[in-house]
C-alpha cells in the first residue's frame, strides 16, 4: 500500500468535485476520483465529496467524517479503523469486502447500503436507520443503540456478541433472521429459521 501527498490528493479532490458539478453543468470539467491501495492515515479528507468516488483496497484510520454524503460511493476492500461517521448518508454506498474496526456510526442513514462479505468488529451504531445493509457479513462485538431497522436481514451473516439497546421499537427477529452462518466466510455453515433465531438470541444481548 502506498501513501499520497496532501497536495496531490487535494488536486484529485478538486478534479472530483468539478466532475460532480460537471454532471449538472457541462461547462465545468473534472475527473471522477479513482484510487487504489492508498494509505490515507496522514491525509486531510475534509474537502472530499464522497459522492460517486471509486476507491479500492485502501486504508482509513483515526478520522472523523461528519455530515458527509457518501451516496453511490464505491469503497471496495477498504479498511476503516478508529473512524467516526456522524450524520453521514450511506444511501446506495458500496462497502463490499471491507473491514470496519473499532469505529462509530452516529445518526447515519444506511438505507440500501451494500456490505457483501464485510467485517464489522467493535463497531457502534447509534441512532442509525437501516434497510438492506447486511449480507454474508461478519458482525462481532457490535452495539446497536436506538437504531431503526426495517426490512434489513442479517442474511447469512456470522454473528458474535451483539448488544442491542432499542427502547423505541422491538426487533422483529422472524422478519430479518432467516439464515445465519455459524461457520466462517470461507467455510460457511448455515442454519435457518427458528434455529437461526435461537442462535441469534444467544449471541445478542437485548436491553
Amino acid at each position: 500500500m502506498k501513501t499520497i501527498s496532501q497536495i496531490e490528493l487535494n488536486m484529485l479532490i478538486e478534479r472530483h468535485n468539478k466532475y460532480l458539478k460537471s454532471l449538472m453543468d457541462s461547462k465545468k470539467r473534472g475527473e471522477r476520483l479513482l484510487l487504489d491501495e492508498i494509505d490515507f492515515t496522514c491525509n486531510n479528507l475534509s474537502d472530499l465529496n464522497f459522492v460517486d468516488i471509486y476507491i479500492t483496497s485502501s486504508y482509513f484510520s483515526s478520522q472523523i467524517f461528519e455530515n458527509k454524503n457518501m451516496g453511490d460511493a464505491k469503497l471496495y476492500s477498504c479498511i476503516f479503523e478508529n473512524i467516526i461517521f456522524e450524520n453521514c448518508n450511506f444511501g446506495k454506498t458500496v462497502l463490499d469486502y471491507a473491514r470496519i474496526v473499532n469505529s462509530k456510526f452516529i445518526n447515519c442513514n444506511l438505507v440500501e447500503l451494500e456490505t457483501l462479505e464485510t467485517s464489522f468488529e467493535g463497531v457502534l451504531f447509534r441512532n442509525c436507520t437501516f434497510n438492506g445493509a447486511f449480507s454474508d457479513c461478519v458482525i462481532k462485538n457490535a452495539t446497536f443503540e436506538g437504531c431503526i431497522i426495517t426490512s434489513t436481514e442479517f442474511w447469512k451473516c456470522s454473528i458474535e456478541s451483539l448488544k442491542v439497546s432499542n427502547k423505541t421499537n422491538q426487533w422483529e427477529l422472524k422478519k430479518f433472521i432467516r439464515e445465519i452462518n455459524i461457520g466462517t466466510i470461507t467455510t460457511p455453515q448455515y442454519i435457518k429459521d427458528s434455529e437461526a433465531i435461537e442462535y441469534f438470541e444467544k449471541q445478542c444481548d437485548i436491553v
Side-chain angles (χ1 to χ4, degrees), residues 181-194:
N181 180 11
I182 61 174
T184 65
I185 288 179
T186 53
T187 56
Q189 182 180 348
Y190 299 119
I191 55 177
K192 297 182 179 182
D193 302 326
S194 60

Side-chain angles (χ1 to χ4, degrees), residues 38-163:
I38 301 292
D39 183 347
F40 291 106
T41 301
C42 297
N43 295 121
N44 181 353
L45 299 172
S46 60
D47 290 334
L48 176 58
N49 187 333
F50 278 84
V51 173
D52 203 28
I53 62 173
Y54 192 102
I55 298 177
T56 58
S57 304
S58 295
Y59 181 65
F60 299 80
S61 176
S62 303
Q63 291 156 323
I64 298 174
F65 298 110
E66 189 174 4
N67 301 316
K68 291 290 187 181
N69 183 3
M70 299 187 174
D72 287 317
K74 308 298 186 292
L75 301 165
Y76 293 101
S77 302
C78 289
I79 297 173
F80 299 87
E81 189 168 7
N82 297 314
I83 302 293
I84 296 176
F85 299 101
E86 187 166 3
N87 299 318
C88 292
N89 174 35
F90 287 88
K92 298 186 178 180
T93 303
V94 176
L95 280 174
D96 291 349
Y97 314 107
R99 185 166 179 254
I100 303 171
V101 184
N102 298 329
S103 297
K104 298 178 181 179
F105 294 80
I106 302 171
N107 298 321
C108 291
N109 169 31
L110 297 102
V111 174
E112 296 189 50
L113 169 66
E114 184 178 314
T115 58
L116 180 64
E117 294 190 18
T118 292
S119 175
F120 298 88
E121 185 169 348
V123 174
L124 168 66
F125 298 98
R126 178 182 292 152
N127 299 328
C128 294
T129 302
F130 293 84
N131 186 346
F134 301 110
S135 178
D136 289 281
C137 293
V138 174
I139 308 172
K140 182 177 180 181
N141 298 323
T143 300
F144 296 81
E145 293 183 0
C147 294
I148 298 173
I149 296 183
T150 54
S151 63
T152 297
E153 289 187 30
F154 290 80
W155 179 249
K156 295 185 176 180
C157 289
S158 175
I159 304 292
E160 183 178 341
S161 300
L162 304 191
K163 183 177 180 181

Side-chain angles (χ1 to χ4, degrees), residues 142-144 159-166 171 199-207:
T143 300
F144 296 81
I159 304 292
E160 183 178 341
S161 300
L162 304 191
K163 183 177 180 181
V164 178
S165 175
N166 196 24
W171 282 22
Y199 178 85
F200 184 88
E201 288 177 325
K202 289 180 179 178
Q203 294 294 328
C204 190
D205 180 17
I206 302 178
V207 298

